[in-house]
Amino acid sequence: MKKPLLLLAGMLFVLLPLQPSQVQALSCAEPRSMEEAYIYYDAILEGHLDKSVSHFNRNELRITVKTSYKGVGEERIIADEDKFWGVVNGPSASGEDYLFFLKIKGDHWENPLCAPSRPVAESAAALAYLKGKEIPLQRAAEPAAQDTAWKNLIQGQGSLTVAGLILAAAALGALGLSAVLRRRRR
């Protein structure tokens, strides 16, 4: 009975000094200041989460960018986030507005575990810091006039154009029919 107690005491004596003096679960146990976050993250934007598509261990976030403060110039982007961690207290919820802090990972955006991304309603201090740092978004290119005419035709708009196309189609059909009838008569 003395032998196991001596062995346990010996193990404690050897292992006790090996314990770390400080333990942190994540490298982001202490959040970055806004100045540090602005430098560290590749993109900062205020966006509406249109849809969150669940995959095995991640969510694909489809975001409409309302205001970009850094790194994003498009109106719509897709970003990944951890399925279980997400924005501070859990995954992002579709239909909500967020202030996202994103990193570029390979060829896509990521909302990383330690990012201070959170709902816009909880981001007053961060938004105050970002005021005046807005960057313009690239608007989707307007379709060419020809594309617009076809789009209007398909949607039933532009009656003058539709009437002209119908007359042209009827005329071509009549010419084709007369050519076929002429060949048969010969």
Side-chain angles (χ1 to χ4, degrees), residues 9-24:
M11 286 177 61
L12 283 174
F13 181 73
V14 170
L15 295 176
L16 198 56
L18 298 177
Q19 289 186 5
S21 60
Q22 185 178 6
V23 177
Q24 294 180 346

Side-chain angles (χ1 to χ4, degrees), residues 142-152:
E142 288 294 320
Q146 189 178 28
D147 295 340
T148 304
W150 281 107
K151 182 179 175 185
N152 289 342

Side-chain angles (χ1 to χ4, degrees), residues 3 5 12 97 131 150 152:
K3 204 172 192 177
L5 287 176
L12 283 174
D97 290 346
K131 189 168 179 73
W150 281 107
N152 289 342

Side-chain angles (χ1 to χ4, degrees), residues 46-50 62-66 95-98 100:
E46 184 179 334
H48 181 78
L49 181 55
D50 299 317
R62 297 182 184 170
I63 302 167
T64 298
V65 179
K66 290 182 166 187
E96 297 291 324
D97 290 346
Y98 291 94
F100 286 107

